[in-house]
Amino acid sequence: MKLYALSSTEELLEKVDVLCVPASKDRAEFVYQDLLTRIIHADALPPLQDFLAMKAHPAYFFGHLNGHRVKVVYWCDAEKLTEANTYSLVKKMAIKVRHDCAGKPGLWLPHLNANELIQSAFAGWTAGQYDLGLYKQSDNNHKSGSEDIYTLLPAGVTEDVARNGITIGLVQQEVMNLVNTPASHKSPAYLGAWASRSAAQYGYSATVLDKQDLTTMGMHALLAVNRGSEQPAVCVVTHYKHPEATKKIIFIGKGVIFDTGGISIKDSKNMHYMKSDMAGAAAALGAVEACARLKLKVDVMAITPTTDNSIDGLSIKPGDVISSYAGKTIEVLDTDAEGRLVLADAIAYAVKEYKPDVMIDLATLTGSIVAALGPQAAGLFSKNDQLVAELEAAGNSSGERVWRMPMFDEYHDDMQSDIADIKNLSEKPYAGSITAAKFLEYFTSEHASWAHLDIAGMGFQPNGFGKGYCATGYGVRLLIQWLSVKG
Ligand code: BES
Ligand code: ZN
Ligand code: ZN
């Protein structure tokens, strides 16, 4: 995507056919005056009072400049633009304009007078160029987002700010692509190949631990989940380190390529959503790629234990006892609670091998968090109040919200097994997302700065690109925001 930042409204209008104007009520009058003086004849605009009270989204107007006709798309549905609502507004506009308007679009933003808003606008615009029709043969020339973008920025805002936003949007497109790709077209090796290609392209490192490595290392829980699969498990490890970085941060992502439930098989209704069970891995890998592309002054790794959860004569069976990287034994009462098994190994490995200062895992872990929070926030589980406060702040400003859940030790009692060190299922009919988090905690060696994000409700939901559920790219903006504030 090539960016053309022009220096006046007139110059922009000469280049574009569709002028996109995301606005808020507090700047609507400014926008109105500019439309009137530069673009649209008074007859084609409602009187100021009616314009300010306008409820239709978006509103279309037509302007002329030197005989060139311009369609103005004006969308104003917030009192005041924040980073979070600028992102979502511009993303909605991009989807709408891409669908409805022919011709070259431009983003008119002189009223967004803060760098953060400009960055969010370009991230939203770029993410909105995503094309969900991955396998539609009819529009092969219409693939995701490489269109040029013309814009007018506010005085004093540099193009770099817009470019960083575009980078974040492009990473989100890649993450969405990974998650939307069906299991027929992805595998553990495919995720590994994605990471290796990305690392080579953007100057960071990627290691794909294969089944042989995992066996040597003793990743018994990941291998147990993998037993019923044709495709061998991998654990992808990516690493980007800026020379000035001081703290080691690790993102761990659940990479279940497709979750049938295993022998504890899932209901077939909505089972197709389970191609998204690697959304945590995609977000972790995407966040590291974004750090590398933005050259943030951080030291970050992604570790993604990756396998299918399939059904076969070799699959683990309910009641089986397996071992783990940490050496702890696990009674597997439900083979559908597989995410916590693969994460247990990755978490224990991260702590032992890399001794991170901060460790955050992202996982589409439980239906229970969807019941609790729906599609509005990820469940946040941590005993570290400061880390919680930081992630809450990053969630609120990015719009990728999190909501803290309790981690009382009494919940751990529900995970005690009679025959092994721990069981993977609380047989109680409540608090499923919390007992899952307590299971993970058991493998952290009481790490002082660990947080778990249950993103089962956030990774895959209706979000404008199609009629049904699809990937959101959740996590990338949250983590980048958190890292940027942390410095
Ligand atoms: N991948 C699922 C969780 C999930 C559910 C993700 C809905 C996205 C949307 C996970 O592996 C799972 O099956 N969890 C079980 C755990 C239970 C057996 C303790 C669940 O939540 O039902
Ligand atoms: Zn499952
Ligand atoms: Zn799962």
Side-chain angles (χ1 to χ4, degrees), residues 2-19 65 68 104-110 118 122 148-159 162-163:
K2 198 154 164 26
L3 176 74
Y4 297 90
L6 302 168
S7 49
S8 69
T9 299
E10 287 72 17
E11 240 185 88
L12 177 62
L13 288 179
E14 277 173 17
K15 294 276 189 255
V16 305
D17 309 297
V18 185
L19 188 70
L65 185 89
H68 178 55
K104 260 191 281 177
L107 261 180
W108 191 78
L109 305 171
I118 296 293
F122 279 91
D148 294 341
I149 171 74
Y150 296 84
T151 191
L152 177 65
L153 299 174
V157 172
T158 62
E159 284 181 38
R163 287 222 170 79

Side-chain angles (χ1 to χ4, degrees), residues 40-257:
I40 301 174
H41 192 266
D43 298 345
L45 264 188
L48 178 63
Q49 282 322 310
D50 296 354
F51 182 88
L52 297 181
M54 213 161 40
K55 292 224 164 57
H57 309 306
Y60 296 110
F61 303 104
F62 292 93
H64 291 270
L65 185 89
N66 304 332
H68 178 55
R69 187 166 182 268
V70 196
K71 183 172 186 175
V72 175
V73 185
Y74 171 79
W75 201 324
C76 172
D77 63 3
E79 288 300 327
K80 192 174 170 1
L81 288 176
T82 60
E83 284 174 70
N85 66 24
T86 300
Y87 173 85
S88 52
L89 171 60
V90 179
K91 180 178 155 196
K92 271 190 304 200
M93 276 185 115
I95 294 173
K96 182 88 183 144
V97 164
R98 204 156 180 252
H99 192 257
D100 289 358
C101 309
K104 260 191 281 177
L107 261 180
W108 191 78
L109 305 171
H111 51 297
L112 301 196
N113 48 7
N115 284 357
E116 297 74 37
L117 299 184
I118 296 293
Q119 181 172 312
S120 298
F122 279 91
W125 180 266
T126 308
Q129 305 301 314
Y130 179 70
D131 191 338
L132 182 56
L134 299 177
Y135 305 97
K136 281 186 192 292
Q137 308 200 58
S138 51
D139 51 28
N140 258 341
N141 53 1
H142 218 261
K143 286 295 175 221
S144 300
S146 50
E147 272 118 85
D148 294 341
I149 171 74
Y150 296 84
T151 191
L152 177 65
L153 299 174
V157 172
T158 62
E159 284 181 38
D160 288 355
V161 175
R163 287 222 170 79
N164 286 349
I166 291 173
T167 298
I168 291 171
L170 289 173
V171 173
Q172 286 187 302
Q173 286 197 14
E174 292 190 63
V175 169
M176 291 190 277
N177 239 342
L178 285 171
V179 175
N180 287 326
T181 296
S184 53
H185 290 69
K186 69 186 171 196
S187 63
Y190 177 91
L191 202 68
W194 180 93
S196 301
R197 198 227 356 98
S198 164
Q201 188 170 353
Y202 300 112
Y204 64 99
S205 79
T207 309
V208 182
L209 302 168
D210 65 15
K211 194 167 170 179
Q212 188 54 53
D213 299 324
L214 301 174
T215 308
T216 312
M217 292 161 65
M219 291 265 200
H220 304 296
L222 172 56
L223 289 167
V225 173
N226 185 238
R227 259 172 33 196
S229 301
E230 289 283 324
Q231 316 263 24
V234 304
C235 184
V236 184
V237 181
T238 64
H239 189 186
Y240 162 74
K241 186 175 191 305
H242 189 280
E244 288 166 42
T246 51
K247 283 192 170 165
K248 175 165 275 312
I249 292 161
I250 302 190
F251 302 135
I252 297 169
K254 171 178 173 182
V256 173
I257 297 291

Side-chain angles (χ1 to χ4, degrees), residues 327-397:
K328 292 167 170 161
T329 55
I330 305 167
E331 182 186 13
V332 180
L333 288 181
D334 193 317
T335 65
D336 196 12
E338 85 298 341
R340 61 195 76 179
L341 301 177
V342 306
L343 287 171
D345 274 1
I347 287 171
Y349 171 67
V351 172
K352 182 158 178 239
E353 191 69 27
Y354 299 106
K355 302 180 180 54
D357 294 293
V358 188
M359 175 169 75
I360 300 174
D361 76 75
L362 299 97
T364 48
L365 204 63
T366 67
S368 175
I369 202 66
V370 188
L373 301 175
Q376 301 305 337
L380 166 60
F381 303 79
S382 178
K383 283 181 175 165
N384 184 317
D385 293 342
Q386 195 201 327
L387 182 56
V388 166
E390 289 170 7
L391 287 168
E392 284 174 342
N396 291 335
S397 59

